[in-house]
Amino acid sequence: MKKALITMFVMFAFTIWPFGGIWQLLSGILGGGVQESFLYPIYGGIILLSGLIVVCTELILEEIKSLKANITHKNEEC
C-alpha cells in the first residue's frame, strides 16, 4: 500500500502541483504540448481516484482480516 501511495503522490506532484513545470518540460520529450495541456487536470483526478481506490481496498482487507481473526478466536474458545 505504501508503494501505491508514494507513486500516486509522485505522479500527482509531477502533473499538477508543485512540480507541474517539470511535466511541461518532459512533455516535449514524451510528446504532447499545449494542445494536450487541458488533459493534465483530468490526469491528476484519475491519479487521485486510483489512489483512493487503493486506500479503501486496503482498509476493507484489513477489516476482513480482523473479523476473520475474531471469528477464529471465538471458535477456539468454544
Side-chain angles (χ1 to χ4, degrees), residues 1 5 49-63:
M1 182 170 132
L5 290 176
L49 285 175
S50 62
L52 181 66
I53 290 170
V54 168
V55 169
C56 290
T57 304
E58 187 66 29
L59 291 174
I60 290 170
L61 287 175
E62 288 177 10
E63 188 65 28

Side-chain angles (χ1 to χ4, degrees), residues 2-67:
K2 289 180 183 178
K3 289 180 184 179
L5 290 176
I6 291 170
T7 304
M8 179 191 70
F9 179 73
V10 168
M11 286 305 296
F12 180 75
F14 276 129
T15 56
I16 304 296
W17 178 85
F19 303 114
I22 293 173
W23 187 262
Q24 292 294 330
L25 294 174
L26 290 176
S27 67
I29 297 170
L30 300 174
V34 176
Q35 308 91 306
E36 288 83 20
S37 65
F38 64 92
L39 294 174
Y40 294 150
I42 296 171
Y43 293 156
I46 291 171
I47 292 167
L48 289 176
L49 285 175
S50 62
L52 181 66
I53 290 170
V54 168
V55 169
C56 290
T57 304
E58 187 66 29
L59 291 174
I60 290 170
L61 287 175
E62 288 177 10
E63 188 65 28
I64 290 172
K65 288 178 185 177
S66 165
L67 290 172

